PDB file of all heavy atoms in Angstrom:
ATOM      1  N   ASP A 520      60.174 143.515 150.507  1.00 86.00           N
ATOM      2  CA  ASP A 520      61.073 144.639 150.204  1.00 86.00           C
ATOM      3  C   ASP A 520      62.142 144.253 149.185  1.00 86.00           C
ATOM      4  O   ASP A 520      63.016 145.100 148.859  1.00 86.00           O
ATOM      5  CB  ASP A 520      61.720 145.163 151.482  1.00 86.00           C
ATOM      6  CG  ASP A 520      60.729 145.761 152.403  1.00 86.00           C
ATOM      7  OD1 ASP A 520      59.653 146.227 151.926  1.00 86.00           O
ATOM      8  OD2 ASP A 520      61.006 145.785 153.647  1.00 86.00           O
ATOM      9  N   GLN A 521      62.144 143.022 148.749  1.00 83.00           N
ATOM     10  CA  GLN A 521      63.175 142.593 147.832  1.00 83.00           C
ATOM     11  C   GLN A 521      62.800 142.970 146.389  1.00 83.00           C
ATOM     12  O   GLN A 521      61.839 143.660 146.159  1.00 83.00           O
ATOM     13  CB  GLN A 521      63.439 141.069 148.005  1.00 83.00           C
ATOM     14  CG  GLN A 521      63.947 140.750 149.381  1.00 83.00           C
ATOM     15  CD  GLN A 521      64.537 139.384 149.504  1.00 83.00           C
ATOM     16  OE1 GLN A 521      64.979 138.777 148.536  1.00 83.00           O
ATOM     17  NE2 GLN A 521      64.629 138.868 150.725  1.00 83.00           N
ATOM     18  N   ALA A 522      63.580 142.529 145.447  1.00 75.00           N
ATOM     19  CA  ALA A 522      63.412 142.898 144.047  1.00 75.00           C
ATOM     20  C   ALA A 522      61.986 142.713 143.589  1.00 75.00           C
ATOM     21  O   ALA A 522      61.357 141.689 143.889  1.00 75.00           O
ATOM     22  CB  ALA A 522      64.337 142.103 143.137  1.00 75.00           C
ATOM     23  N   HIS A 523      61.427 143.707 142.910  1.00 69.00           N
ATOM     24  CA  HIS A 523      60.015 143.697 142.553  1.00 69.00           C
ATOM     25  C   HIS A 523      59.632 142.534 141.629  1.00 69.00           C
ATOM     26  O   HIS A 523      58.492 142.081 141.683  1.00 69.00           O
ATOM     27  CB  HIS A 523      59.652 145.048 141.867  1.00 69.00           C
ATOM     28  CG  HIS A 523      60.163 145.170 140.483  1.00 69.00           C
ATOM     29  ND1 HIS A 523      61.418 145.542 140.215  1.00 69.00           N
ATOM     30  CD2 HIS A 523      59.525 145.012 139.282  1.00 69.00           C
ATOM     31  CE1 HIS A 523      61.600 145.606 138.905  1.00 69.00           C
ATOM     32  NE2 HIS A 523      60.464 145.263 138.323  1.00 69.00           N
ATOM     33  N   CYS A 524      60.579 142.027 140.869  1.00 71.00           N
ATOM     34  CA  CYS A 524      60.263 140.967 139.907  1.00 71.00           C
ATOM     35  C   CYS A 524      60.606 139.574 140.478  1.00 71.00           C
ATOM     36  O   CYS A 524      60.431 138.549 139.832  1.00 71.00           O
ATOM     37  CB  CYS A 524      61.019 141.143 138.615  1.00 71.00           C
ATOM     38  SG  CYS A 524      62.790 141.166 138.778  1.00 71.00           S
ATOM     39  N   MET A 525      61.113 139.542 141.741  1.00 75.00           N
ATOM     40  CA  MET A 525      61.599 138.274 142.304  1.00 75.00           C
ATOM     41  C   MET A 525      60.549 137.217 142.449  1.00 75.00           C
ATOM     42  O   MET A 525      60.787 136.019 142.196  1.00 75.00           O
ATOM     43  CB  MET A 525      62.284 138.526 143.625  1.00 75.00           C
ATOM     44  CG  MET A 525      62.947 137.277 144.204  1.00 75.00           C
ATOM     45  SD  MET A 525      63.648 137.603 145.834  1.00 75.00           S
ATOM     46  CE  MET A 525      62.152 137.877 146.803  1.00 75.00           C
ATOM     47  N   PHE A 526      59.336 137.591 142.848  1.00 72.00           N
ATOM     48  CA  PHE A 526      58.310 136.651 143.146  1.00 72.00           C
ATOM     49  C   PHE A 526      57.935 135.890 141.888  1.00 72.00           C
ATOM     50  O   PHE A 526      57.763 134.635 141.936  1.00 72.00           O
ATOM     51  CB  PHE A 526      57.060 137.380 143.724  1.00 72.00           C
ATOM     52  CG  PHE A 526      57.445 138.414 144.724  1.00 72.00           C
ATOM     53  CD1 PHE A 526      57.316 139.760 144.435  1.00 72.00           C
ATOM     54  CD2 PHE A 526      58.039 138.043 145.942  1.00 72.00           C
ATOM     55  CE1 PHE A 526      57.635 140.738 145.376  1.00 72.00           C
ATOM     56  CE2 PHE A 526      58.393 138.999 146.847  1.00 72.00           C
ATOM     57  CZ  PHE A 526      58.231 140.351 146.599  1.00 72.00           C
ATOM     58  N   CYS A 527      57.827 136.566 140.754  1.00 78.00           N
ATOM     59  CA  CYS A 527      57.540 135.876 139.471  1.00 78.00           C
ATOM     60  C   CYS A 527      58.725 135.020 139.066  1.00 78.00           C
ATOM     61  O   CYS A 527      58.517 133.911 138.564  1.00 78.00           O
ATOM     62  CB  CYS A 527      57.255 136.908 138.382  1.00 78.00           C
ATOM     63  SG  CYS A 527      55.698 137.840 138.674  1.00 78.00           S
ATOM     64  N   ALA A 528      59.918 135.500 139.242  1.00 80.00           N
ATOM     65  CA  ALA A 528      61.109 134.776 138.855  1.00 80.00           C
ATOM     66  C   ALA A 528      61.268 133.479 139.622  1.00 80.00           C
ATOM     67  O   ALA A 528      61.614 132.424 139.074  1.00 80.00           O
ATOM     68  CB  ALA A 528      62.370 135.641 139.010  1.00 80.00           C
ATOM     69  N   VAL A 529      61.020 133.527 140.940  1.00 81.00           N
ATOM     70  CA  VAL A 529      61.118 132.367 141.791  1.00 81.00           C
ATOM     71  C   VAL A 529      60.049 131.324 141.342  1.00 81.00           C
ATOM     72  O   VAL A 529      60.353 130.115 141.213  1.00 81.00           O
ATOM     73  CB  VAL A 529      60.912 132.744 143.240  1.00 81.00           C
ATOM     74  CG1 VAL A 529      60.739 131.502 144.147  1.00 81.00           C
ATOM     75  CG2 VAL A 529      62.140 133.523 143.774  1.00 81.00           C
ATOM     76  N   ALA A 530      58.817 131.807 141.097  1.00 78.00           N
ATOM     77  CA  ALA A 530      57.793 130.867 140.658  1.00 78.00           C
ATOM     78  C   ALA A 530      58.147 130.232 139.326  1.00 78.00           C
ATOM     79  O   ALA A 530      57.947 129.003 139.148  1.00 78.00           O
ATOM     80  CB  ALA A 530      56.460 131.657 140.550  1.00 78.00           C
ATOM     81  N   LYS A 531      58.693 131.030 138.415  1.00 83.00           N
ATOM     82  CA  LYS A 531      59.037 130.477 137.126  1.00 83.00           C
ATOM     83  C   LYS A 531      60.181 129.501 137.201  1.00 83.00           C
ATOM     84  O   LYS A 531      60.254 128.500 136.469  1.00 83.00           O
ATOM     85  CB  LYS A 531      59.426 131.659 136.156  1.00 83.00           C
ATOM     86  CG  LYS A 531      59.649 131.172 134.719  1.00 83.00           C
ATOM     87  CD  LYS A 531      59.982 132.395 133.816  1.00 83.00           C
ATOM     88  CE  LYS A 531      58.812 133.276 133.549  1.00 83.00           C
ATOM     89  NZ  LYS A 531      59.083 134.294 132.541  1.00 83.00           N
ATOM     90  N   PHE A 532      61.110 129.734 138.114  1.00 85.00           N
ATOM     91  CA  PHE A 532      62.289 128.845 138.275  1.00 85.00           C
ATOM     92  C   PHE A 532      61.857 127.472 138.783  1.00 85.00           C
ATOM     93  O   PHE A 532      62.353 126.456 138.307  1.00 85.00           O
ATOM     94  CB  PHE A 532      63.309 129.499 139.228  1.00 85.00           C
ATOM     95  CG  PHE A 532      64.495 128.618 139.498  1.00 85.00           C
ATOM     96  CD1 PHE A 532      65.475 128.460 138.534  1.00 85.00           C
ATOM     97  CD2 PHE A 532      64.664 128.015 140.741  1.00 85.00           C
ATOM     98  CE1 PHE A 532      66.593 127.658 138.770  1.00 85.00           C
ATOM     99  CE2 PHE A 532      65.766 127.177 140.961  1.00 85.00           C
ATOM    100  CZ  PHE A 532      66.729 127.018 140.001  1.00 85.00           C
ATOM    101  N   PHE A 533      61.017 127.446 139.785  1.00 84.00           N
ATOM    102  CA  PHE A 533      60.633 126.154 140.415  1.00 84.00           C
ATOM    103  C   PHE A 533      59.544 125.427 139.699  1.00 84.00           C
ATOM    104  O   PHE A 533      59.380 124.202 139.858  1.00 84.00           O
ATOM    105  CB  PHE A 533      60.239 126.390 141.862  1.00 84.00           C
ATOM    106  CG  PHE A 533      61.390 126.644 142.813  1.00 84.00           C
ATOM    107  CD1 PHE A 533      61.470 127.858 143.479  1.00 84.00           C
ATOM    108  CD2 PHE A 533      62.347 125.724 142.970  1.00 84.00           C
ATOM    109  CE1 PHE A 533      62.518 128.135 144.334  1.00 84.00           C
ATOM    110  CE2 PHE A 533      63.446 125.970 143.838  1.00 84.00           C
ATOM    111  CZ  PHE A 533      63.522 127.171 144.508  1.00 84.00           C
ATOM    112  N   ARG A 534      58.777 126.122 138.859  1.00 87.00           N
ATOM    113  CA  ARG A 534      57.566 125.537 138.247  1.00 87.00           C
ATOM    114  C   ARG A 534      57.933 124.274 137.422  1.00 87.00           C
ATOM    115  O   ARG A 534      57.192 123.239 137.484  1.00 87.00           O
ATOM    116  CB  ARG A 534      56.893 126.552 137.365  1.00 87.00           C
ATOM    117  CG  ARG A 534      55.641 126.046 136.643  1.00 87.00           C
ATOM    118  CD  ARG A 534      54.918 127.215 135.930  1.00 87.00           C
ATOM    119  NE  ARG A 534      53.876 126.707 135.053  1.00 87.00           N
ATOM    120  CZ  ARG A 534      54.095 126.433 133.752  1.00 87.00           C
ATOM    121  NH1 ARG A 534      55.300 126.635 133.214  1.00 87.00           N
ATOM    122  NH2 ARG A 534      53.099 125.974 133.033  1.00 87.00           N
ATOM    123  N   PRO A 535      58.952 124.271 136.551  1.00 90.00           N
ATOM    124  CA  PRO A 535      59.237 123.043 135.770  1.00 90.00           C
ATOM    125  C   PRO A 535      59.453 121.813 136.634  1.00 90.00           C
ATOM    126  O   PRO A 535      58.982 120.679 136.307  1.00 90.00           O
ATOM    127  CB  PRO A 535      60.502 123.436 134.973  1.00 90.00           C
ATOM    128  CG  PRO A 535      60.441 124.883 134.866  1.00 90.00           C
ATOM    129  CD  PRO A 535      59.867 125.338 136.180  1.00 90.00           C
ATOM    130  N   GLY A 536      60.179 121.921 137.734  1.00 89.00           N
ATOM    131  CA  GLY A 536      60.433 120.826 138.635  1.00 89.00           C
ATOM    132  C   GLY A 536      59.169 120.300 139.233  1.00 89.00           C
ATOM    133  O   GLY A 536      58.971 119.089 139.349  1.00 89.00           O
ATOM    134  N   TYR A 537      58.254 121.223 139.625  1.00 92.00           N
ATOM    135  CA  TYR A 537      56.979 120.750 140.188  1.00 92.00           C
ATOM    136  C   TYR A 537      56.148 120.097 139.126  1.00 92.00           C
ATOM    137  O   TYR A 537      55.524 119.067 139.351  1.00 92.00           O
ATOM    138  CB  TYR A 537      56.206 121.982 140.749  1.00 92.00           C
ATOM    139  CG  TYR A 537      56.923 122.729 141.882  1.00 92.00           C
ATOM    140  CD1 TYR A 537      56.551 124.043 142.220  1.00 92.00           C
ATOM    141  CD2 TYR A 537      57.984 122.144 142.577  1.00 92.00           C
ATOM    142  CE1 TYR A 537      57.212 124.705 143.211  1.00 92.00           C
ATOM    143  CE2 TYR A 537      58.648 122.801 143.583  1.00 92.00           C
ATOM    144  CZ  TYR A 537      58.239 124.127 143.914  1.00 92.00           C
ATOM    145  OH  TYR A 537      58.891 124.825 144.886  1.00 92.00           O
ATOM    146  N   ASN A 538      56.125 120.662 137.926  1.00 93.00           N
ATOM    147  CA  ASN A 538      55.307 120.085 136.831  1.00 93.00           C
ATOM    148  C   ASN A 538      55.670 118.682 136.508  1.00 93.00           C
ATOM    149  O   ASN A 538      54.832 117.825 136.220  1.00 93.00           O
ATOM    150  CB  ASN A 538      55.482 120.915 135.556  1.00 93.00           C
ATOM    151  CG  ASN A 538      54.611 122.158 135.585  1.00 93.00           C
ATOM    152  OD1 ASN A 538      53.774 122.334 136.418  1.00 93.00           O
ATOM    153  ND2 ASN A 538      54.822 123.047 134.561  1.00 93.00           N
ATOM    154  N   HIS A 539      56.949 118.341 136.595  1.00 93.00           N
ATOM    155  CA  HIS A 539      57.446 117.033 136.156  1.00 93.00           C
ATOM    156  C   HIS A 539      57.688 116.031 137.272  1.00 93.00           C
ATOM    157  O   HIS A 539      58.131 114.910 137.051  1.00 93.00           O
ATOM    158  CB  HIS A 539      58.694 117.187 135.295  1.00 93.00           C
ATOM    159  CG  HIS A 539      58.426 117.858 133.961  1.00 93.00           C
ATOM    160  ND1 HIS A 539      58.112 117.100 132.871  1.00 93.00           N
ATOM    161  CD2 HIS A 539      58.391 119.137 133.615  1.00 93.00           C
ATOM    162  CE1 HIS A 539      57.900 117.939 131.808  1.00 93.00           C
ATOM    163  NE2 HIS A 539      58.060 119.137 132.256  1.00 93.00           N
ATOM    164  N   ASN A 540      57.513 116.475 138.534  1.00 96.00           N
ATOM    165  CA  ASN A 540      57.798 115.579 139.649  1.00 96.00           C
ATOM    166  C   ASN A 540      56.731 115.435 140.723  1.00 96.00           C
ATOM    167  O   ASN A 540      56.574 114.367 141.282  1.00 96.00           O
ATOM    168  CB  ASN A 540      59.099 116.020 140.337  1.00 96.00           C
ATOM    169  CG  ASN A 540      60.325 115.869 139.465  1.00 96.00           C
ATOM    170  OD1 ASN A 540      60.770 114.737 139.278  1.00 96.00           O
ATOM    171  ND2 ASN A 540      60.858 116.959 138.982  1.00 96.00           N
ATOM    172  N   LEU A 541      55.987 116.514 140.951  1.00 97.00           N
ATOM    173  CA  LEU A 541      55.075 116.530 142.098  1.00 97.00           C
ATOM    174  C   LEU A 541      54.055 115.391 142.037  1.00 97.00           C
ATOM    175  O   LEU A 541      53.947 114.599 142.988  1.00 97.00           O
ATOM    176  CB  LEU A 541      54.400 117.886 142.214  1.00 97.00           C
ATOM    177  CG  LEU A 541      53.341 118.054 143.272  1.00 97.00           C
ATOM    178  CD1 LEU A 541      53.808 117.614 144.636  1.00 97.00           C
ATOM    179  CD2 LEU A 541      52.819 119.503 143.301  1.00 97.00           C
ATOM    180  N   ILE A 542      53.311 115.344 140.977  1.00 97.00           N
ATOM    181  CA  ILE A 542      52.231 114.364 140.846  1.00 97.00           C
ATOM    182  C   ILE A 542      52.816 112.986 140.477  1.00 97.00           C
ATOM    183  O   ILE A 542      52.376 111.956 140.968  1.00 97.00           O
ATOM    184  CB  ILE A 542      51.175 114.763 139.833  1.00 97.00           C
ATOM    185  CG1 ILE A 542      50.666 116.187 140.112  1.00 97.00           C
ATOM    186  CG2 ILE A 542      50.041 113.811 139.725  1.00 97.00           C
ATOM    187  CD1 ILE A 542      50.072 116.329 141.454  1.00 97.00           C
ATOM    188  N   GLN A 543      53.823 112.987 139.571  1.00 97.00           N
ATOM    189  CA  GLN A 543      54.368 111.762 139.082  1.00 97.00           C
ATOM    190  C   GLN A 543      55.255 111.022 140.016  1.00 97.00           C
ATOM    191  O   GLN A 543      55.246 109.795 140.071  1.00 97.00           O
ATOM    192  CB  GLN A 543      55.210 112.105 137.797  1.00 97.00           C
ATOM    193  CG  GLN A 543      54.462 112.850 136.712  1.00 97.00           C
ATOM    194  CD  GLN A 543      54.562 114.358 136.854  1.00 97.00           C
ATOM    195  OE1 GLN A 543      54.567 114.853 137.948  1.00 97.00           O
ATOM    196  NE2 GLN A 543      54.582 115.047 135.732  1.00 97.00           N
ATOM    197  N   ASN A 544      56.038 111.696 140.866  1.00 97.00           N
ATOM    198  CA  ASN A 544      57.046 111.033 141.680  1.00 97.00           C
ATOM    199  C   ASN A 544      56.977 111.398 143.158  1.00 97.00           C
ATOM    200  O   ASN A 544      57.093 110.503 144.011  1.00 97.00           O
ATOM    201  CB  ASN A 544      58.441 111.419 141.161  1.00 97.00           C
ATOM    202  CG  ASN A 544      58.632 111.048 139.740  1.00 97.00           C
ATOM    203  OD1 ASN A 544      58.365 109.928 139.305  1.00 97.00           O
ATOM    204  ND2 ASN A 544      59.128 111.996 138.921  1.00 97.00           N
ATOM    205  N   TRP A 545      56.800 112.679 143.529  1.00 98.00           N
ATOM    206  CA  TRP A 545      56.903 113.040 144.917  1.00 98.00           C
ATOM    207  C   TRP A 545      55.761 112.538 145.780  1.00 98.00           C
ATOM    208  O   TRP A 545      55.985 111.928 146.807  1.00 98.00           O
ATOM    209  CB  TRP A 545      57.062 114.561 145.059  1.00 98.00           C
ATOM    210  CG  TRP A 545      58.360 115.099 144.443  1.00 98.00           C
ATOM    211  CD1 TRP A 545      59.403 114.373 144.008  1.00 98.00           C
ATOM    212  CD2 TRP A 545      58.632 116.469 144.174  1.00 98.00           C
ATOM    213  NE1 TRP A 545      60.348 115.204 143.510  1.00 98.00           N
ATOM    214  CE2 TRP A 545      59.924 116.493 143.602  1.00 98.00           C
ATOM    215  CE3 TRP A 545      57.974 117.663 144.403  1.00 98.00           C
ATOM    216  CZ2 TRP A 545      60.563 117.683 143.223  1.00 98.00           C
ATOM    217  CZ3 TRP A 545      58.582 118.850 144.041  1.00 98.00           C
ATOM    218  CH2 TRP A 545      59.865 118.873 143.480  1.00 98.00           C
ATOM    219  N   LEU A 546      54.550 112.848 145.368  1.00 98.00           N
ATOM    220  CA  LEU A 546      53.406 112.379 146.146  1.00 98.00           C
ATOM    221  C   LEU A 546      53.353 110.860 146.271  1.00 98.00           C
ATOM    222  O   LEU A 546      53.080 110.306 147.318  1.00 98.00           O
ATOM    223  CB  LEU A 546      52.089 112.942 145.623  1.00 98.00           C
ATOM    224  CG  LEU A 546      51.928 114.465 145.858  1.00 98.00           C
ATOM    225  CD1 LEU A 546      50.686 114.965 145.090  1.00 98.00           C
ATOM    226  CD2 LEU A 546      51.776 114.788 147.353  1.00 98.00           C
ATOM    227  N   PRO A 547      53.580 110.099 145.133  1.00 98.00           N
ATOM    228  CA  PRO A 547      53.573 108.667 145.223  1.00 98.00           C
ATOM    229  C   PRO A 547      54.644 108.075 146.186  1.00 98.00           C
ATOM    230  O   PRO A 547      54.533 106.951 146.644  1.00 98.00           O
ATOM    231  CB  PRO A 547      53.801 108.190 143.787  1.00 98.00           C
ATOM    232  CG  PRO A 547      53.280 109.304 142.968  1.00 98.00           C
ATOM    233  CD  PRO A 547      53.645 110.564 143.724  1.00 98.00           C
ATOM    234  N   ALA A 548      55.683 108.858 146.422  1.00 98.00           N
ATOM    235  CA  ALA A 548      56.787 108.402 147.323  1.00 98.00           C
ATOM    236  C   ALA A 548      56.389 108.471 148.807  1.00 98.00           C
ATOM    237  O   ALA A 548      57.057 107.897 149.668  1.00 98.00           O
ATOM    238  CB  ALA A 548      58.021 109.189 147.104  1.00 98.00           C
ATOM    239  N   LEU A 549      55.263 109.132 149.099  1.00 98.00           N
ATOM    240  CA  LEU A 549      54.819 109.257 150.480  1.00 98.00           C
ATOM    241  C   LEU A 549      53.859 108.097 150.803  1.00 98.00           C
ATOM    242  O   LEU A 549      53.122 107.626 149.975  1.00 98.00           O
ATOM    243  CB  LEU A 549      54.038 110.601 150.682  1.00 98.00           C
ATOM    244  CG  LEU A 549      54.800 111.853 150.260  1.00 98.00           C
ATOM    245  CD1 LEU A 549      53.892 113.062 150.409  1.00 98.00           C
ATOM    246  CD2 LEU A 549      56.045 112.022 151.065  1.00 98.00           C
ATOM    247  N   SER A 550      53.904 107.663 152.018  1.00 97.00           N
ATOM    248  CA  SER A 550      53.145 106.467 152.457  1.00 97.00           C
ATOM    249  C   SER A 550      51.638 106.761 152.531  1.00 97.00           C
ATOM    250  O   SER A 550      51.196 107.539 153.394  1.00 97.00           O
ATOM    251  CB  SER A 550      53.632 106.024 153.838  1.00 97.00           C
ATOM    252  OG  SER A 550      54.986 105.701 153.770  1.00 97.00           O
ATOM    253  N   GLY A 551      50.875 106.168 151.634  1.00 97.00           N
ATOM    254  CA  GLY A 551      49.416 106.233 151.681  1.00 97.00           C
ATOM    255  C   GLY A 551      48.786 107.561 151.314  1.00 97.00           C
ATOM    256  O   GLY A 551      47.575 107.704 151.414  1.00 97.00           O
ATOM    257  N   VAL A 552      49.567 108.498 150.892  1.00 98.00           N
ATOM    258  CA  VAL A 552      49.015 109.865 150.614  1.00 98.00           C
ATOM    259  C   VAL A 552      48.191 109.928 149.344  1.00 98.00           C
ATOM    260  O   VAL A 552      47.116 110.533 149.355  1.00 98.00           O
ATOM    261  CB  VAL A 552      50.150 110.907 150.581  1.00 98.00           C
ATOM    262  CG1 VAL A 552      49.665 112.246 150.015  1.00 98.00           C
ATOM    263  CG2 VAL A 552      50.716 111.103 151.987  1.00 98.00           C
ATOM    264  N   VAL A 553      48.659 109.310 148.290  1.00 98.00           N
ATOM    265  CA  VAL A 553      47.950 109.347 147.027  1.00 98.00           C
ATOM    266  C   VAL A 553      46.570 108.734 147.185  1.00 98.00           C
ATOM    267  O   VAL A 553      45.545 109.273 146.684  1.00 98.00           O
ATOM    268  CB  VAL A 553      48.708 108.677 145.880  1.00 98.00           C
ATOM    269  CG1 VAL A 553      47.826 108.448 144.664  1.00 98.00           C
ATOM    270  CG2 VAL A 553      49.920 109.513 145.509  1.00 98.00           C
TER     271      VAL A 553
END
């Protein structure tokens, strides 16, 4: 019921951080996950 464009805006806001950290830094920081 919130702003109609919010879902796209939230995805666009977080996407750069995921692009540059998830595979490169975050998953490797977990024990044995990679």
Side-chain angles (χ1 to χ4, degrees):
D520 293 335
Q521 299 196 20
H523 72 281
C524 61
M525 184 182 68
F526 318 110
C527 294
V529 168
K531 186 179 288 188
F532 177 73
F533 286 117
R534 180 174 169 268
Y537 301 161
N538 279 352
H539 290 270
N540 291 288
L541 174 52
I542 307 302
Q543 303 90 325
N544 302 309
W545 295 349
L546 289 172
L549 306 177
S550 301
V552 167
V553 168

